[in-house]
Amino acid sequence: DAGVIQSPRHEVTEMGQEVTLRCKPISGHNSLFWYRQTMMRGLELLIYFNNNVPIDDSGMPEDRFSAKMPNASFSTLKIQPSEPRDSAVYFCASSLAETENTEAFFGQGTRLTVV
Amino acid sequence: DAKTTQPPSMDCAEGRAANLPCNHSTISGNEYVYWYRQIHSQGPQYIIHGLKNNETNEMASLIITEDRKSSTLILPHATLRDTAVYYCIVRVSRGAQKLVFGQGTRLTINP
C-alpha cells in the first residue's frame, strides 16, 4: 500500500479564495483524522471520522472550515474563505479502528500558505 | 482526557541510549500510553504503545511504572536519524480513536 496520500503537497492561495485539501486513506482503514500543525499551536486535531461519519469536529476552528468523507477512500478539508492565519501544514491520518490500540498512519501533509 | 508532561528538549550522544520520560499521573485504568515521533517536515510516525507491561519492538522499548503514572521511551542505540520530536500520548476512552498531541520532546542526537 502506498500509505496515506495527500494532495496537493503545497498550496499557495490568496486571502478570500476557497482551498480544498484532499486525502486518500490506507485501503481497509475505517478511521480518518485531519490535523493542523503550526509553530505556535503544535499539532491540533480538527476532525475525526469513523466509517465515513464525522464523530468529533470540536477542533474545527470556525465555520469557514468543513470536512467531508463521501466514501471510505476519500476525504476533503475545505476552507472558504481562506485567511492568512490558516497558513499551516495540514495532515491526514488513517487507522483501523477495530480495537482501541491501533496505530495511526500519517500522510506527508499539505503545506498551505495564504497570502 | 489524561494529560501528559514531557521535557521540551533533550540531547543525546550518537550510539548511546536515549531515555525520554513522560508523566501521565491522571491516566485511567483502561488508557494506553502511545509514543509517536515526528521527523522534520514529515508526518508523525508510530513507535510503540503499552498498557501496563513493558514493551519492546524493533524501534524502541517502553517502560511503564507500576502505578502507571509515568513511562520512559528508550532508544537503545540512538543514531542521527533519531533526531525528532517525540510525543507521549494517552489514548482517550475505549472506543474513541482520536490521538491528541501535546508539545512533545525535541530530541537532538549529537555526533
Side-chain angles (χ1 to χ4, degrees):
Chain A
D1 198 311
V4 176
I5 299 174
Q6 293 186 244
S7 64
R9 290 293 308 277
H10 302 274
E11 176 80 33
V12 180
T13 190
E14 291 185 347
M15 182 175 62
Q17 296 298 306
E18 177 180 294
V19 175
T20 299
L21 311 182
R22 297 172 175 80
C23 176
K24 176 178 169 53
I26 291 174
S27 177
H29 281 188
N30 59 356
S31 285
L32 184 138
F33 312 81
W34 281 101
Y35 290 87
R36 177 174 68 176
Q37 186 170 35
T38 61
M39 288 292 293
M40 291 297 293
R41 301 175 68 90
L43 261 170
E44 301 174 275
L45 177 64
L46 300 178
I47 187 170
Y48 145 61
F49 293 85
N50 193 41
N51 293 324
N52 311 337
V53 176
I55 302 300
D56 185 344
D57 65 354
S58 59
M60 295 287 265
E62 300 172 31
D63 291 344
R64 298 184 296 105
F65 285 69
S66 62
K68 294 182 179 179
M69 192 162 186
N71 57 62
S73 59
F74 184 65
S75 177
T76 60
L77 178 67
K78 186 176 294 186
I79 308 172
Q80 167 62 21
S82 58
E83 297 183 2
R85 58 188 169 134
D86 301 331
S87 297
V89 180
Y90 291 81
F91 287 103
C92 175
S94 72
S95 70
L96 179 60
E98 299 301 327
T99 64
E100 65 203 45
N101 54 337
T102 57
E103 63 181 283
F105 293 82
F106 283 75
Q108 289 300 301
T110 294
R111 181 173 297 276
L112 173 65
T113 303
V114 183
V115 297
Chain B
D1 300 346
K3 294 183 178 179
T4 62
T5 304
Q6 299 178 254
S9 64
M10 292 182 63
D11 285 87
C12 180
E14 186 178 19
R16 304 297 294 270
N19 297 283
L20 293 94
C22 179
N23 286 321
H24 32 78
S25 59
T26 60
I27 191 170
S28 298
N30 63 348
E31 290 180 314
Y32 289 74
V33 180
Y34 280 75
W35 283 84
Y36 280 72
R37 74 179 182 184
Q38 186 175 24
I39 296 171
H40 182 61
S41 300
Q42 299 181 19
Q45 175 192 25
Y46 165 85
I47 301 173
I48 198 167
H49 73 275
L51 183 62
K52 47 186 166 183
N53 297 322
N54 297 337
E55 303 288 343
T56 296
N57 63 19
E58 66 279 4
M59 291 181 68
S61 295
L62 174 60
I63 308 298
I64 303 174
T65 59
E66 191 169 345
D67 63 7
R68 301 210 323 124
K69 293 185 177 182
S70 65
S71 60
T72 301
L73 179 75
I74 301 172
L75 308 178
H77 305 287
T79 70
L80 298 179
R81 288 175 294 181
D82 292 322
T83 293
V85 178
Y86 287 77
Y87 297 97
C88 169
I89 300 162
V90 173
R91 200 64 175 276
V92 296
S93 61
R94 177 180 284 274
Q97 296 297 317
K98 62 182 181 181
L99 288 174
V100 179
F101 289 81
Q103 295 303 308
T105 295
R106 182 172 298 276
L107 176 67
T108 302
I109 305 301
N110 300 307

